[in-house]
Amino acid sequence: MADRILIFYGSYRSDRQGIRLADYLVRAFAGRGAAPELIDARAIGLPMLDRMYKEYPPGEAPPALEALAGKIRAADAFVFVAGEYNWGQQPGLKNLTDHFLEEWFWRPAAIASYSAGRLAGAHASVAWHGTLTEMGMVVIPSTLTVGSIGHTLDADAKPTGDGGASLTRAFPRFADDLAWWTAAARAQRARVAPPY
């Protein structure tokens, strides 16, 4: 059975370069036999958080929220494509994740960070690690970091130059780590019900 991986991306900017990394990841995971799906926060267009999904009576959540809750519950693993805004998280992606809680539980999450500069989204990656852990996910040890995003992936999300070569070398370990934790979590959930 192919691992169902949701790849979350959250920039709302008109000139989004991080979408290249999200598209690269969809293609790269599919090439390994996984079943990835891009979840683009801007395309889904959830409002600023007022009520979490669980706070709606059954059947009364907005359709986009209901559909996304089902996808999250059905997923085996998550990848968060984390752009860095002023040493922190993209608000669009953070807003999307905050609409849910229990839906995330007991699955692994991986962080792929990026920035226009050389720090490759390191500050955002650190911030997301704590957030995802608090939301009940197991954050894998490997991270993928992409600096100078506009020079590392071209407009078709294909690796270019030294940065692209580095990304191509780093991806297999990142994907192997996520696959191991995905299989471990799936086996444990099948063996014993989560404690809460």
Side-chain angles (χ1 to χ4, degrees):
M1 179 173 90
D3 291 343
R4 294 162 299 180
I5 303 172
L6 296 183
I7 297 174
F8 291 90
Y9 177 66
S11 175
Y12 277 57
R13 298 179 67 153
S14 57
D15 185 19
R16 309 188 304 169
Q17 294 201 12
I19 193 70
R20 299 175 185 189
L21 179 55
D23 289 339
Y24 168 84
L25 291 169
V26 168
R27 190 171 59 243
F29 277 110
R32 292 173 56 97
E37 181 180 353
L38 176 61
I39 304 295
D40 183 345
R42 186 175 82 177
I44 292 171
L46 296 180
M48 290 302 294
L49 179 64
D50 175 27
R51 276 202 258 172
M52 294 177 73
Y53 171 72
K54 68 180 182 178
E55 294 170 330
Y56 287 92
E60 292 186 22
L65 200 60
E66 191 70 55
L68 186 51
K71 288 180 181 189
I72 293 170
R73 282 192 302 266
D76 295 307
F78 312 112
V79 176
F80 291 82
V81 179
E84 184 171 315
Y85 285 18
N86 299 319
W87 283 36
Q89 299 165 316
Q90 287 173 325
L93 187 54
K94 181 67 165 64
N95 181 61
L96 182 145
T97 61
D98 285 341
H99 276 83
F100 304 97
L101 187 58
E102 290 86 354
E103 292 77 20
W104 302 113
F105 285 5
W106 310 111
R107 263 83 48 78
I111 300 166
S113 66
Y114 71 91
S115 66
R118 60 186 173 81
L119 292 181
H123 299 109
S125 181
V126 169
W128 274 109
H129 195 287
T131 297
L132 301 178
T133 300
E134 174 62 20
M135 296 176 87
M137 290 168 256
V138 177
V139 182
I140 69 167
S142 296
T143 57
L144 202 60
T145 58
V146 178
S148 301
I149 184 75
H151 300 290
T152 298
L153 292 162
D154 67 16
D156 295 319
K158 293 188 175 138
T160 62
D162 292 342
S166 178
L167 173 60
T168 301
R169 284 191 306 273
F171 175 75
R173 177 180 175 148
F174 177 77
D176 286 345
D177 198 357
L178 183 60
W180 192 95
W181 284 100
T182 300
R186 184 187 298 115
Q188 181 66 359
R189 289 194 308 273
R191 189 178 73 81
V192 61
Y196 54 86

